[in-house]
Amino acid sequence: MVRWRTGTVTALRRQWSGAVELDVELADGATMRALAYPELVGRPEPGDRVLLNAGALLMGLGTGGYALVVALPDRLPPDPPQAHDTRDAGHLVKARYTPLQPILLGVDEEASPHRAVLEAAEDVAGLPVVTADLHSALPAILAGIHADAPDARVAYVLTDGGALPAWFSRTLDGLRGRLVGTVSVGQAFGGDLEATTVHSGLLAARHVLAADVVILAQGPGNLGTGTRWGYSGVAVGEAVNAVAALGGRPVGSLRISDADPRPRHRGVSHHSVTAYGRVALAPADLVVPDGLEPALARDVDAALAPLTGRHRVVRVPTDGLDAALRASAVPLSTMGRGLDADYAYFLAAAAAGRHAAALAGTAPESR
């Protein structure tokens, strides 16, 4: 259930594209850190009364460490300038039947300027798509692509297993100048383009954004229960199937680590093994970086051996990737661990990006 709070905005803090961080003083005098999405609730100012959903903050849930502004009840934003009693401005309802459901223009709707292109699109014509189960892989994959192909056009397809609003991600905000655009699919929203499914999102990335390579991953704040199937990132296996159905080239960014304290995530995470070994029915290129520590390399090889009947394990050289990762436009962090604390994880993501760039013909071929 929702844990409601109300209070008064005392200060605005960091702001990035689509989001405003603020301090809210509650009735008992305590201060609560909150986040507002101006496109949904309006832009808060000091002195505004706000209604908050405080559950994630009170529970201390990782990336959900904010109270979320539900409304500025005394200063509601005006209606959007477009008439919304017709479908001229779109009719895609996302976060459906929740109190903050936005109504958006889908990239392939009748009113979209891209309708004709997408109505005629049948496939993605060999587009390499790097699939990852954690949002934290996004900047490392991008670094690997641009290490060899600095001019490659890279699009991000944001799936709905984690944060629904693209605006939540400061990582994505920091990468805007390096991506040709973001397509938010399913129940996710806030991208440069909106799509109903992963399939239509991939078609939009190829035919509207003219991407050479796509990175596909859920937003931050993934959900997991510690069981084999109870993890939102398992859907990356379904993404592989979608890429293959559209004539693309799936490239698996494996979750490799020798730093995660949980045994099920050491070597190749059980989430990667489940997604690619049990859910993905189409073949993918599963990328392993050269130069892993010998013990880790043995664990990785053992974990991937049962998957080789369907997938191709590709070993990719890593020369130059360290410099590319250290030059990332945004900080690298996964589960609270930075580049040096979980080096193999980020190196594996960058190697997947390098391989995808080679498949796109924008970089030297991986070996």
Side-chain angles (χ1 to χ4, degrees):
M1 299 295 290
V2 172
R3 299 173 71 175
W4 292 96
R5 298 293 187 272
T6 185
T8 302
V9 178
T10 57
L12 304 183
R13 299 171 65 87
R14 295 179 294 181
Q15 301 185 38
W16 57 94
S17 180
V20 179
E21 189 181 83
L22 50 140
D23 288 335
V24 176
E25 183 176 344
L26 306 181
D28 62 3
T31 297
M32 186 166 279
R33 186 177 67 158
L35 193 72
Y37 301 123
E39 289 289 327
L40 291 184
V41 301
R43 184 166 293 277
E45 300 291 347
D48 282 337
R49 184 166 67 95
V50 291
L51 297 181
L52 304 174
N53 178 339
L57 176 61
L58 294 173
M59 291 181 67
L61 295 180
T63 54
Y66 290 102
L68 296 173
V69 176
V70 178
L72 312 179
D74 303 322
R75 195 168 61 82
L76 297 175
D79 288 345
Q82 306 95 334
H84 277 254
D85 52 353
T86 71
R87 295 190 177 195
D88 292 345
H91 80 292
L92 259 64
V93 181
K94 298 205 175 186
R96 289 188 283 277
Y97 303 108
T98 65
L100 288 178
Q101 61 181 21
I103 301 177
L104 306 160
L105 178 63
V107 66
D108 55 356
E109 285 194 77
E110 293 87 344
S112 168
H114 310 298
R115 166 74 175 202
V117 169
L118 290 178
E119 194 169 29
E122 292 291 337
D123 58 43
V124 295
L127 176 70
V129 179
V130 185
T131 56
D133 70 340
L134 288 176
H135 187 70
S136 57
L138 171 63
I141 296 168
L142 185 63
I145 295 168
H146 283 160
D148 294 342
D151 297 326
R153 295 176 59 84
V154 184
Y156 174 45
V157 172
L158 168 66
T159 63
D160 57 11
L164 297 184
W167 310 313
F168 183 80
S169 174
R170 292 193 299 274
T171 292
L172 185 54
D173 181 60
L175 295 176
R176 285 185 180 276
R178 291 165 170 79
L179 295 167
V180 295
T182 295
V183 188
S184 38
V185 305
Q187 296 286 356
F189 56 91
D192 302 291
L193 299 172
E194 302 289 346
T196 307
T197 65
V198 169
H199 301 76
S200 56
L202 290 169
L203 289 167
R206 179 56 141 179
H207 297 288
V208 176
L209 297 177
D212 299 315
V213 181
V214 164
I215 303 170
L216 184 151
Q218 61 182 335
N222 55 278
L223 179 61
T225 63
T227 62
R228 178 187 298 274
W229 295 104
Y231 171 57
S232 55
V234 166
V236 77
E238 298 289 7
V240 168
N241 298 335
V243 175
L246 291 173
R249 293 288 303 270
V251 176
S253 176
L254 297 171
R255 189 169 165 185
I256 293 174
S257 178
D258 57 0
D260 199 303
R262 298 165 294 180
R264 64 184 185 272
H265 293 305
R266 295 177 71 85
V268 179
S269 167
H270 76 114
H271 289 323
S272 288
V273 173
T274 299
Y276 296 107
R278 299 287 299 277
V279 181
L281 302 180
D285 288 356
L286 304 183
V287 175
V288 176
D290 280 345
L292 294 177
E293 291 294 327
L296 177 58
R298 287 193 295 273
D299 288 344
V300 169
D301 289 345
L304 294 180
L307 278 61
T308 56
R310 177 175 301 140
H311 303 293
R312 184 167 74 108
V313 174
V314 181
R315 301 191 181 277
V316 172
T318 58
D319 51 296
L321 292 184
D322 180 79
L325 288 168
R326 295 189 188 281
S328 172
V330 298
L332 300 176
S333 178
T334 186
M335 304 296 174
R337 298 185 295 272
L339 173 59
D340 291 318
D342 205 344
Y343 191 75
Y345 169 79
F346 294 107
L347 188 65
R354 166 169 278 175
H355 180 60
L359 292 177
T362 56
E365 190 67 42
S366 298
R367 62 179 173 88

